[in-house]
């Protein structure tokens, strides 16, 4: 099993969630995060004064999925979250060694 962490633009969240649901992925964790990469923030004007906004609002989606759904899920996230502009985000994939559902004690695939 794999853990997929996708950092995307906030307005793309509903589209990505719906697209993942269409391929059978319904469980996810969503966090509101802030950060920057190559985008390096931007300047804004507030009451006539210009100031630098270093950390931009993003959304982080965390999924734990079976290996056979990985490529399909990655394709869906990339295609749905892409705007073609800087700051579209990144996806990180890591291995999961063990999962335990606290309520039942089920482990691994049964716990997802």
């Amino acid at each position: 099993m794999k853990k997929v962490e996708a950092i995307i633009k906030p307005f793309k969240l509903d589209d990505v969630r719906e697209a993942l649901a269409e391929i059978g992925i319904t469980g996810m964790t969503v966090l509101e995060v802030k950060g920057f990469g190559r985008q390096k923030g931007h300047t804004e004007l507030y009451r006539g004064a210009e100031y630098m906004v270093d950390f931009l609002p993003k959304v982080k989606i965390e999924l734990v999925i079976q290996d056979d759904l990985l490529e399909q899920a990655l394709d869906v996230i990339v295609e749905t979250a892409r705007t073609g502009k800087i700051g579209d985000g990144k996806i990180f994939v890591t291995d999961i060694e063990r999962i335990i559902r606290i309520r039942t004690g089920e482990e691994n695939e049964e716990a997802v």
Side-chain angles (χ1 to χ4, degrees):
M1 291 191 299
K2 304 289 186 199
K3 180 178 183 181
V4 175
E5 297 174 87
I7 299 173
I8 63 172
K9 292 183 175 184
F11 68 89
K12 286 293 194 171
L13 176 60
D14 285 335
D15 294 339
V16 170
R17 183 187 52 80
E18 290 171 10
L20 287 168
E22 287 177 15
I23 63 167
I25 297 172
T26 55
M28 66 182 65
T29 301
V30 177
L31 302 120
E32 292 181 7
V33 296
K34 291 183 180 186
F36 69 91
R38 290 183 183 165
Q39 202 172 358
K40 295 186 177 126
H42 64 279
T43 58
E44 287 190 4
L45 199 60
Y46 179 72
R47 294 189 176 186
E50 190 174 286
Y51 65 98
M52 184 68 181
V53 178
D54 291 329
F55 294 99
L56 301 172
K58 302 287 181 178
V59 172
K60 180 178 180 182
I61 301 169
E62 295 182 352
L63 312 164
V64 175
I65 57 178
Q66 296 174 350
D67 292 336
D68 59 337
L69 282 175
L70 178 64
E71 291 305 318
Q72 190 177 8
L74 295 177
D75 290 344
V76 163
I77 295 169
V78 169
E79 290 304 315
T80 308
R82 178 183 290 144
T83 67
K85 298 183 176 137
I86 193 166
D88 275 351
K90 293 209 173 31
I91 301 174
F92 305 94
V93 180
T94 54
D95 288 320
I96 296 293
E97 291 184 27
R98 187 175 178 194
I99 301 171
I100 301 169
R101 178 174 287 146
I102 295 172
R103 179 177 53 87
T104 63
E106 294 170 302
E107 294 197 25
N108 300 323
E109 282 83 12
E110 294 82 30
V112 177

